[in-house]
Amino acid sequence: MTLDPAFDDAHAPGESRRAVREGLGVALATSAYGVSFGALAVAAGLDVWQTCVLSLVMFTGGSQFAFVGVIGSGGLAAAPAAIASASLLGVRNIAYGMRMSPVIGSGFWRRAAAAQFTIDESTAVSLAQRTAHARTLGFWVTGIGIYVGWNISTFLGAFGADRLSAPGGVGFDPNAYGLDAAAAAAFLALLWPRLKRRQPIVVGVAAAVVATMLTPVLMAGLPVLIAAVVAVVIGWFNWLDPSTGSGTGAGSGTGAGSGTGAGPRSVTGEPDDVPERGGLP
């Protein structure tokens, strides 16, 4: 569909309310599993305040889970691999930032603040909206909502795990509460919408096989980094799906978790007036 000023003006009130509802709903759902991060971080050896500072400053769930996962497996000796793994996962936020640049607008302080809230969910909710104002509102409501909720739930999870682990407590085992699967579930939720073509399926399978084979023989964190290199090589050359290429066609781009379209975009796809940046996803 083609967006014009008349459509934007006529639908602005309803679209804004929709953006707020979706942003708050996503924020509530996403914030909930911050409890698992807080608990897993304490189980990995961090104290409550270290865990809370990590969420306040880092604030990118996948990278945080990767960091504490590697630390939990390899201790302080695995810190370099943990930092590398977390940084590698955080690179995706650069792509999100480039895509969200026209939505955020100009101004140093506005962009500096937006950088902290540019995550998977805020990008997805924003690009799912049909008007410029609703996209901006969806971004800020989702990003700020998750930031507040994530940090509160991180503290609750870390504090609870710390109390259970304290002398006289009943002890804390993340596996007993199913928290060990939370990070894997979160990553799968991010990956699953992408598995619609042969190429991304092969990339995911190849990376998983490499990581599984190397885990028993390499230090914690290194299998993930090597698997990522394999995924980048296979994905970069796009051997199995050359028809899609690395660029974009009219109506064929994908939003961050917002679906695909062939020809004219559906109302739930990425808006036409948010420009593609160098074929980024």
Side-chain angles (χ1 to χ4, degrees):
M1 62 179 293
T2 301
L3 297 181
D4 54 39
F7 176 88
D8 209 301
D9 292 342
H11 292 75
E15 290 296 312
S16 296
R17 288 192 293 270
R18 175 174 175 264
V20 171
R21 286 196 304 269
E22 291 183 358
L24 291 177
V26 170
L28 183 63
T30 303
S31 298
Y33 66 86
V35 172
S36 63
F37 168 72
L40 289 172
V42 169
L46 277 65
D47 62 30
V48 174
W49 300 115
Q50 288 172 330
T51 301
C52 290
V53 168
L54 193 61
S55 274
L56 284 167
V57 177
M58 198 172 193
F59 186 54
T60 169
S63 297
Q64 293 179 233
F65 275 114
F67 181 84
V68 299
V70 175
I71 290 294
S73 300
L76 290 178
I83 294 172
S85 299
S87 300
L88 189 63
L89 281 170
V91 167
R92 73 189 190 281
N93 289 351
I94 297 175
Y96 295 156
M98 295 176 68
R99 288 292 289 277
M100 294 306 298
S101 178
V103 175
I104 300 304
S106 59
F108 174 79
W109 293 112
R110 175 190 291 266
R111 287 175 174 267
Q116 181 71 349
F117 306 125
T118 302
I119 55 176
D120 307 271
E121 295 83 359
S122 61
T123 302
V125 171
S126 177
L127 294 181
Q129 310 309 314
R130 296 183 293 175
T131 69
H133 179 69
R135 286 192 290 276
T136 303
L137 195 59
F139 171 83
W140 289 108
V141 169
T142 307
I144 294 174
I146 293 177
Y147 185 79
V148 173
W150 179 266
N151 281 283
I152 292 174
S153 60
T154 291
F155 171 75
L156 294 176
F159 182 79
D162 184 65
R163 291 298 91 196
L164 290 173
S165 302
V170 297
F172 175 70
D173 179 9
N175 299 341
Y177 296 92
L179 297 178
D180 56 316
F187 287 131
L188 183 60
L190 292 175
L191 175 65
W192 192 259
R194 302 293 185 187
L195 302 181
K196 295 180 178 179
R197 294 191 179 96
R198 183 168 48 189
Q199 177 73 14
I201 292 174
V202 171
V203 170
V205 171
V209 169
V210 170
T212 302
M213 292 176 61
L214 295 179
T215 295
V217 296
L218 293 181
M219 184 178 71
L222 290 181
V224 175
L225 297 178
I226 296 174
V229 172
V230 171
V232 168
V233 170
I234 297 177
W236 180 268
F237 290 103
N238 205 24
W239 290 313
L240 299 177
D241 198 7
S243 62
T244 60
S246 60
T248 58
S252 63
T254 60
S258 59
T260 63
R265 294 186 190 275
S266 65
V267 294
T268 57
E270 183 180 316
D272 291 327
D273 56 346
V274 177
E276 299 278 358
R277 294 298 184 90
L280 292 171

